[in-house]
Amino acid sequence: MVEEKKKSESQSTMVDKIVVPGDVVLDLSKLSNQTIKLGDGLRQDCDSITVMKSGKLRFSKPNKYWVESSQKRYVPCVDDTVLGIVLDSKADNFLVDIKGPAVAFLPVLAFEGGTRRNIPKFEPGSLIYVRVVKGNMGMNPELSCTDAAEFGALKDGHMRLLSTPTCPVLEALGKKLSFEIAVGLNGRVWVNAEAPSTVILVANALLKSEPLTAVQQRIMVESLLQRVQ
């Protein structure tokens, strides 16, 4: 479940560090003018954001925090953006695998301007970029492709399983290369570019970045770029 509160410009100093249950990662009373969104492993207690499970505290621009743990199964939270694989099509819904405990469903009308006359066609195995709109325990998560132009089918490119890549890698690569990327909070990442060599380079950089610090990530990217110049 996502908790929201108007607060903050500064990030938590505990981002990318190991946290355990009970740790306070943000004091909302000291922050102002931003909406903080909480993902898996965090909760709001009055003006404190506290940890509910062990793992690494992660941050995604502009304002989302969550705890990344070693558990292999993704736990859907409202407003998470995820990469799903279409399993089947029904009269009213697409059935979608988002790596969660249950199959998710995407209503056929949950698209911008969606009507019965322009229902999209997804073959089983199609990769789609979607948003979680309902994620209650014990229920099949509900998905949507509304509110952002990038939601929908992801064609061509390359998809792999990763922990959510951190910003230093993407920022460093984006200064030198032209590519598209879709990052799912369920551990799936899609990369596409005109040149196949760019796709391979970006995918490898993301894979190698996982155990590295921000500084090490930038050094690694520079090394990879020098090899292809």
Side-chain angles (χ1 to χ4, degrees), residues 12-41:
S12 169
T13 58
M14 301 176 73
V15 170
D16 293 334
K17 295 181 180 178
I18 299 296
V19 292
V20 296
D23 281 350
V24 176
V25 296
L26 280 173
D27 182 353
L28 299 181
S29 66
K30 297 179 180 179
L31 308 177
S32 60
N33 302 324
Q34 188 179 353
T35 297
I36 299 298
K37 294 186 177 181
L38 305 185
D40 190 34

Side-chain angles (χ1 to χ4, degrees), residues 61-81:
K61 292 182 178 180
N63 55 9
K64 177 130 187 182
Y65 291 89
W66 72 98
V67 175
E68 181 181 282
S69 70
S70 58
Q71 73 177 37
K72 296 182 179 180
R73 180 167 286 175
Y74 161 69
V75 179
C77 294
V78 173
D79 279 342
D80 279 0
T81 52

